[in-house]
Amino acid sequence: MTLITTPETVPLPLKNSQKLRTLGMAAEITARLRIMIEEGELPPGERIDEKALCELFDVSKTPLREALKTLVSEGLVLHRQYIGYRVAPLDLDELRATFEMLHGLERMAGDLAAQRLSDNAQSAIEKKHGQMVDAHGKGLRTEYFRINQQIHQMIIDSAANPVLSSIYAALMSKVHRARGAANADHSRWQESHDEHEQIMAALREAGRPRLGEVLRAHSENTGAEVLSVVAEAIRLGEHRAGREVHAK
């Protein structure tokens, strides 16, 4: 697809067909950037290199900037005049409080699921776990953690408490981007994989007496790693931002 660009100093109106094409490309770029941010490929506080992204997506600045404006409206990206675009930082205090809630929900769900998990639900979780192991073996880190979260939600849902499931899903949406930032670091990957093997072992035990305890321990380990990585990202982001301001 050939893009029509005009000099920035002489903005010309686009024809209707060109507007539609630009808006369509902007929507696609928005979706791709959103994934990059949520999965940690573009970490919190990171300056957005427009030239590099234009080359990556093979587009002009017009659809890219339309996409960035959308992400600004969603709160995922910040924009400052003369400085440019930057991935929005994360609120460490809010993350810490959210993880405290999640730890308790994991324990509660595990205790309930120990009594209520159906054979069909366990079979579905086993199948999904096999897919996760396969992604781990192939080195597909992003796919691995996506399936990882699906398994957690399946276990939560197997507690057969719709209020619990709804609250858990809402809280997980708050920490998803933070988990993506931490998942981009290899240090947690193998630990997470080993802990999921322990979760599956607890699921297979008669009566599942350890399930809630194992789930909470895994949640606490994940939370500690995420908070550590995010705190460091915030520190580095503030340092970079300070240097850029002084440079101006």
Side-chain angles (χ1 to χ4, degrees), residues 30-52:
T30 300
R32 293 174 68 181
L33 285 174
R34 190 183 293 114
I35 291 173
M36 291 172 72
I37 292 171
E38 291 180 345
E39 300 295 344
E41 189 174 348
L42 289 174
E46 181 84 358
R47 185 181 71 83
I48 293 176
D49 188 332
E50 293 184 55
K51 181 180 178 180

Side-chain angles (χ1 to χ4, degrees), residues 14-243:
L14 294 174
K15 294 181 180 180
N16 288 339
S17 62
Q18 293 171 329
K19 285 182 179 180
L20 289 173
R21 181 168 57 186
T22 298
L23 290 174
M25 294 182 68
E28 181 179 346
I29 295 168
T30 300
R32 293 174 68 181
L33 285 174
R34 190 183 293 114
I35 291 173
M36 291 172 72
I37 292 171
E38 291 180 345
E39 300 295 344
E41 189 174 348
L42 289 174
E46 181 84 358
R47 185 181 71 83
I48 293 176
D49 188 332
E50 293 184 55
K51 181 180 178 180
L53 288 177
C54 285
E55 293 175 356
L56 175 65
F57 299 138
D58 192 23
V59 297
S60 71
K61 284 188 176 181
T62 301
L64 176 65
R65 287 186 172 171
E66 287 297 322
L68 290 171
K69 288 178 184 178
T70 298
L71 294 174
V72 168
S73 71
E74 294 178 2
L76 291 175
V77 170
L78 302 179
H79 180 255
R80 292 182 63 184
Q81 192 173 12
Y82 307 122
I83 294 179
Y85 294 93
R86 184 180 298 278
V87 179
L90 294 163
D91 187 322
L92 197 60
D93 290 335
E94 182 181 10
L95 280 174
R96 187 175 291 109
T98 302
F99 271 114
E100 285 181 356
M101 291 292 295
L102 286 169
H103 301 335
L105 293 179
E106 291 271 8
R107 176 61 192 254
M108 180 185 298
D111 291 342
L112 291 174
Q115 308 167 38
R116 301 174 180 176
L117 183 70
S118 68
D119 291 342
N120 286 340
Q122 176 149 356
S123 295
I125 293 170
E126 292 276 5
K127 181 178 180 181
K128 187 67 68 173
H129 178 71
Q131 295 172 1
M132 189 185 73
V133 170
D134 184 59
H136 182 270
K138 293 178 179 178
L140 303 175
R141 189 173 69 253
T142 298
E143 180 67 12
Y144 171 89
F145 281 103
R146 184 177 295 116
I147 298 172
N148 178 305
Q149 185 49 45
Q150 291 172 354
I151 291 173
H152 277 278
Q153 189 65 55
M154 292 170 74
I155 294 174
I156 297 294
D157 293 342
S158 69
N161 185 316
V163 175
L164 173 60
S165 292
S166 177
I167 294 173
Y168 181 85
L171 290 178
M172 279 305 304
S173 69
K174 291 179 177 292
V175 304
H176 181 74
R177 186 159 67 96
R179 284 171 59 90
N183 292 346
D185 189 326
H186 286 273
S187 62
R188 176 62 183 151
W189 192 5
Q190 186 60 47
E191 290 179 2
S192 174
H193 180 70
D194 294 342
E195 288 169 12
H196 262 259
E197 291 291 350
Q198 296 172 24
I199 291 171
M200 296 308 298
L203 273 169
R204 296 164 186 148
E205 290 177 352
R208 309 182 184 94
R210 298 186 305 115
L211 183 56
E213 176 186 348
V214 172
L215 283 169
R216 174 161 189 140
H218 173 61
S219 181
E220 290 176 345
N221 291 339
T222 299
E225 177 66 16
V226 170
L227 291 171
S228 174
V229 171
V230 171
E232 179 64 11
I234 290 174
R235 187 188 69 78
L236 292 175
E238 290 174 346
H239 180 65
R240 285 195 300 266
R243 287 195 306 176

